[in-house]
Amino acid sequence: MKKAVLVACLGILMFGAVGCKTTVDDRWRADMTAKILPATFKPTYEVMKEKGIVKGTAESTTWFWFFTTEPDTYANELTGHHSLGLKIGNSIASAALYNACENAGANIILAPRFVQTQEIGFLGFTRTIRVTCEGIPARLTGAEEIPFDKLPPPCPNCCR
């Protein structure tokens, strides 16, 4: 009985020493500071000069401070939600940008300019926000890969 207990204890010790370690983490021999840089692309556009400057509008109306009507289609993937710089109606500005793209048959507007107007009705019971977007229409035709030697150096404060 004592021999069986002794053999079991030795087996557990041997298993604990070598049994579960199947991978080795050798940080001192391998170059762990290597970084894999993703490929960077620059979009290429075809400017639609024949269209000139195009315009798109969208509006939102609020009644009695609670009931609101807003546009159904937006172009958030083209602009980003907070990049338009408008205090009120970022989604309305995105809808105006989408409307301008639809009017021109383009899939992007270069140098968009947004004008926002707000009308407040009698005693503030109604409020209408109207956003107009105008810019140069363009089509996205492809992308070019930027070589690593032509990339700007990474920002030391934000890219770690």
Side-chain angles (χ1 to χ4, degrees):
M1 176 76 179
K2 288 183 180 181
K3 286 185 181 182
V5 171
L6 181 64
V7 170
C9 288
L10 284 176
I12 291 173
L13 282 175
M14 288 176 57
F15 179 75
V18 296
C20 294
K21 186 93 171 163
T22 58
T23 60
V24 176
D25 186 17
D26 191 358
R27 294 182 185 198
W28 305 111
R29 289 187 192 172
D31 183 14
M32 296 299 283
T33 60
K35 294 181 180 177
I36 297 174
L37 297 175
T40 306
F41 295 94
K42 177 177 77 172
T44 57
Y45 301 106
E46 173 190 342
V47 178
M48 303 165 69
K49 295 177 185 176
E50 69 278 356
K51 301 276 184 173
I53 294 179
V54 296
K55 220 179 238 194
T57 58
E59 69 178 32
S60 171
T61 304
T62 304
W63 294 282
F64 301 109
W65 308 284
F66 299 111
F67 305 108
T68 303
T69 60
E70 288 192 353
D72 295 335
T73 51
Y74 303 96
N76 286 341
E77 68 273 0
L78 297 176
T79 62
H81 187 63
H82 297 290
S83 66
L84 299 175
L86 300 172
K87 292 183 180 178
I88 301 173
N90 282 332
S91 63
I92 304 166
S94 270
L97 184 66
Y98 179 80
N99 190 314
C101 286
E102 284 293 308
N103 291 343
N107 55 6
I108 193 165
I109 301 292
L110 301 177
R113 185 177 79 125
F114 297 93
V115 177
Q116 175 178 319
T117 58
Q118 181 173 340
E119 298 172 4
I120 298 176
F122 179 69
L123 294 178
F125 289 131
T126 62
R127 180 176 75 166
T128 301
I129 299 171
R130 185 174 296 111
V131 177
T132 303
C133 169
E134 60 181 26
I136 302 166
R139 282 192 192 106
L140 187 63
T141 58
E144 298 175 357
E145 185 174 356
I146 300 174
F148 289 117
D149 56 346
K150 298 203 179 193
L151 285 175
C155 173
N157 297 332
C158 61
C159 303
R160 294 180 185 175

